[in-house]
Amino acid sequence: MSESTYPSVKDLTLEEKASLTSGGDVWHLQGVESKGIPGYMITDGPHGLRKSLASSAGETDLDASVPATCFPPAAGLSSSWNPELIRKVGEAMGEECIQEKVAVILGPGVNIKRNPLGGRCFEYWSEDPYLAGHEAIGIVEGVQSKGVGTSLKHFAANNQETDRLRISANIGPRALREIYLPAFEHIVKTAQPWTVMCSYNRINGVYSAQNRWLLTDVLRGEWGFEGIVMSDWGADHDRVASLNAGLNLEMPPSYTDDEIVHAARDGRIAPAQLDAMAQGMIDLVNRTRAAMSVDDYRFDVDAHDEVAHQAAVESIVMLKNDGAILPLDADAASGQKIAVIGEFARTPRYQGGGSSHITPTRMTSFLDALDERGIAAEFAPGFTLDLEPADPALEAQAVDAAKRADTVLMFLGLPEAAESEGFDRETLDIPAKQIALLDAVAAANDQVVVVLSNGSAVSVAPWAGRAKGILESWLLGQAGGPALADVIFGRTSPSGKLAQTIPMDINDDPSMVNWPGEEGHVDYGEGVFVGYRYYDTYGKAVGYPFGYGLSYATFEISKAAVARTGANAAVVTATVTNTSGVDGAETVQVYVAPGKADVARPRHELKGFVKVFLKAGESADVAIDLDERAFAYWSERYDDWHIESGEYAVEIGTSSRDIAATVTVALEGDGKTQPLTAWSTYGEWSSDPIGAKVMAAVAAAGEAGELPKLPDNAMMNMFLMAMPINSLPTLMSEGGKSITRFMLDEYARLTK
């Protein structure tokens, strides 16, 4: 064995193979020093590197970590709708991993925001699986382009924090395939993340770490995954069962390698399975070796801060701008008096709490940004960043500042105590003391712009009338202050679009009927009707719809068209024009709306998007491909994707409820049919290509007097269509039996 290569699993003893399937400590792989296999470090993401200062001792410390660039968490970055920008974030993260000798960064997390109260929504991408997969893939591609691995997580259905270590997510096959798995599937098939992290929870009663259907049949068998699967920290409860299911790596170690050795010797683990799992770990080390061998590398702190800055700018969503209250004039000569109210302006909430908590390389608040740019403003904190009652003195100071100002910028939102990994929120509202302060300030000055800081949707409708402008800034990372200043003072036009619906009331969310579950399980009773799929299908009023976001520029979408590129695929084209005097960006969104279907389908679903940056007056042509999956649903009858023939509406717009044009395309369908039996209905026989021939033969035999004639009136036809053909005797006695026998015999003849 040369010094530049690692051994094959064939070069290892049984004990060494077993050791590779468990970590060395909390943050390291378990190496085999005698065979030249190092124990590289793997540690937290997902929106920047969180390398614990105590890592070398194998301890867990969520607060003390090495400085790293804190990029906007997914709650913000998802609103950019800009995969190229997201890839740049990934590249920067990969470079920081090289400096810190981290072989795998744990992220991105692409679990669906099933309910906006989910405590970990801040680090997940969207309520929509297409958007989540097509954005988060940029992190995977960017990081891995630097020779560092990612860990796509949490596979699968980790959609709540309540009882997350044990809860059974009871999900039907169709909802799993259409909502909770596609983001993982797209990234695996397209970018091949080097690792996947399984979730804590059970799926339909089986722990993810022990779910062979999930980890082997689907992930490896159907999707062709080539990397390794690791457990979430503490998610492996039975190493033998997990290894047999397809789990390569237990993290952190339970120091039970002997269990794997004994199981391999007594036949509970097949030699080939242990070899495959251990070889996967060797392959991972091989993939990361080059990057981990780079010495004295230092990333460019300033350049990465600028990437974080641009990411933060594009994460900001302008929800409201009545009377063009924004942008404000940054020129001191204008004489405009600005009051900045809210502790978040001085002490920003820039990331979520828990395992992803990063120590930023620098931190620039909004007030810092104003100072750096020489913009005068009077600041009043207004409230404290805790859940304690209001402070009357702080409120009075804020109202006085508002009275002296021409415009008030109010920084409101959720303090860290209100949302974090580890627990789910109990309300959609921001703290009552902040709303009371807004009421008092708005009574003193009606020129109010609210700037929100929050990791998931909050109630806006109850207080939106007291604000002329609203910016949803989510959590913006370390450069959020300069990014907000860019947007508020017009250096950059806002371009963010909502990646999750903002509902009017939490009780409007369909998952609330089964949230957060009971007696160790949670039923996903809403099926595929998650987020806008529910709100738009059933015409529910929302605060702001999925995909929504305003700009200082104005845009027009014209010349929308769709053309077939295959039996069940198409391309959508359109022209986007910036009709204003302001440079800006528009995101063209394509939704597919099926016609009449055999199953209940959402009114429409996002199936394509492109963000277009245009100078004032500029136009651009866009083309968005729609593959077969864009039109398919998961059929439980066929246990596969199914495309029905017929017309589909293709909507081109700027949100799920702002549709500029609708065009139609006729598809051939995939031609799938189920074998017909005596239990197939008369209607199913009539609609099946071969069954229709049989029905024609029945009619001909009836006319010839060889069979009884089927009833020919509206009422009897209504009964017939829904009736299995083995029930024909209930309508036609012995004649019905002869027709059933004839149909089955004729079908058998035609399908030989």
Side-chain angles (χ1 to χ4, degrees), residues 666-742:
L667 302 182
E668 296 177 15
D670 56 27
K672 288 177 181 172
T673 59
Q674 280 283 94
L676 296 173
T677 70
W679 281 99
S680 301
T681 67
Y682 184 88
E684 289 167 345
W685 279 80
S686 299
S687 61
D688 183 87
I690 297 176
K693 294 179 181 179
V694 173
M695 299 309 299
V698 169
E703 291 296 328
E706 299 168 359
L707 283 175
K709 285 187 177 183
L710 289 167
D712 188 21
N713 63 74
M715 181 62 69
M716 294 302 289
N717 281 337
M718 180 185 70
F719 281 109
L720 275 173
M721 293 300 288
M723 180 179 288
I725 64 168
N726 62 9
S727 296
L728 283 175
T730 62
L731 289 182
M732 304 180 64
S733 301
E734 287 297 323
K737 287 185 178 181
S738 62
I739 292 174
T740 298
R741 283 194 299 269
F742 176 88

Side-chain angles (χ1 to χ4, degrees), residues 17-37:
K17 295 175 186 178
S19 73
L20 290 179
T21 66
S22 182
D25 61 32
V26 174
W27 300 118
H28 290 83
L29 303 177
Q30 187 167 187
V32 181
E33 187 176 349
S34 63
K35 301 293 174 62
I37 303 176

Side-chain angles (χ1 to χ4, degrees), residues 109-287:
V110 296
N111 296 102
I112 295 300
K113 299 183 183 186
R114 175 179 176 241
N115 183 301
L117 298 181
R120 217 162 178 177
C121 281
F122 69 87
E123 66 176 80
Y124 294 153
W125 289 78
S126 181
E127 67 189 33
D128 180 83
Y130 184 92
L131 183 62
H134 285 73
E135 287 191 306
I137 193 172
I139 299 293
V140 175
E141 292 177 334
V143 170
Q144 294 186 175
S145 73
K146 301 298 180 178
V148 174
T150 56
S151 193
L152 188 64
K153 64 182 188 180
H154 304 88
F155 191 57
N158 176 202
N159 309 111
Q160 65 185 64
E161 293 299 279
T162 302
D163 203 20
R164 65 172 175 162
L165 302 183
R166 305 176 302 172
I167 195 79
S168 177
N170 295 342
I171 314 174
R174 186 176 163 213
L176 258 178
R177 294 289 191 162
E178 292 189 29
I179 304 295
Y180 299 102
L181 295 185
F184 291 98
E185 179 184 5
H186 173 72
I187 294 172
V188 165
K189 287 182 172 179
T190 308
Q192 280 292 344
W194 294 354
T195 84
V196 166
M197 180 190 293
C198 78
S199 58
Y200 286 115
N201 52 277
R202 293 175 289 155
I203 298 175
N204 297 323
V206 182
Y207 280 107
S208 295
Q210 298 168 208
N211 195 324
R212 185 172 176 83
W213 172 82
L214 185 72
L215 305 186
T216 296
D217 297 346
V218 173
L219 181 61
R220 292 186 170 96
E222 291 185 27
W223 300 350
F225 177 59
E226 298 170 357
I228 69 108
V229 180
M230 71 173 74
S231 72
D232 202 342
W233 267 231
D236 188 359
H237 307 293
D238 182 334
R239 286 190 65 188
V240 173
S242 294
L243 193 146
N244 281 328
L247 188 84
N248 300 78
L249 177 64
E250 171 201 50
M251 287 300 294
S254 58
Y255 304 102
T256 54
D257 292 346
D258 58 323
E259 290 185 7
I260 301 301
V261 172
H262 293 322
R265 284 176 174 159
D266 66 21
R268 286 177 291 140
I269 297 175
Q273 182 68 7
L274 178 56
D275 284 357
M277 296 299 97
Q279 185 63 51
M281 298 307 303
I282 296 172
D283 293 343
L284 176 63
V285 168
N286 269 321
R287 281 176 157 174

Side-chain angles (χ1 to χ4, degrees), residues 71-85:
F71 299 96
L77 197 53
S78 62
S79 294
S80 74
W81 292 59
N82 187 344
E84 292 180 7
L85 173 64

Side-chain angles (χ1 to χ4, degrees), residues 75 102 127 170 288 359 523 533 557 618 621 669 679 684 695:
V102 171
E127 67 189 33
N170 295 342
T288 59
T359 300
D523 296 325
R533 285 170 168 77
I557 296 175
E618 186 180 10
D621 296 328
W679 281 99
E684 289 167 345
M695 299 309 299

Side-chain angles (χ1 to χ4, degrees), residues 433-455:
K433 65 182 178 182
Q434 295 184 33
I435 300 301
L437 179 63
L438 172 61
D439 292 342
V441 166
N445 187 332
D446 64 0
Q447 300 298 302
V448 176
V449 175
V450 170
V451 180
L452 289 170
S453 298
N454 45 286

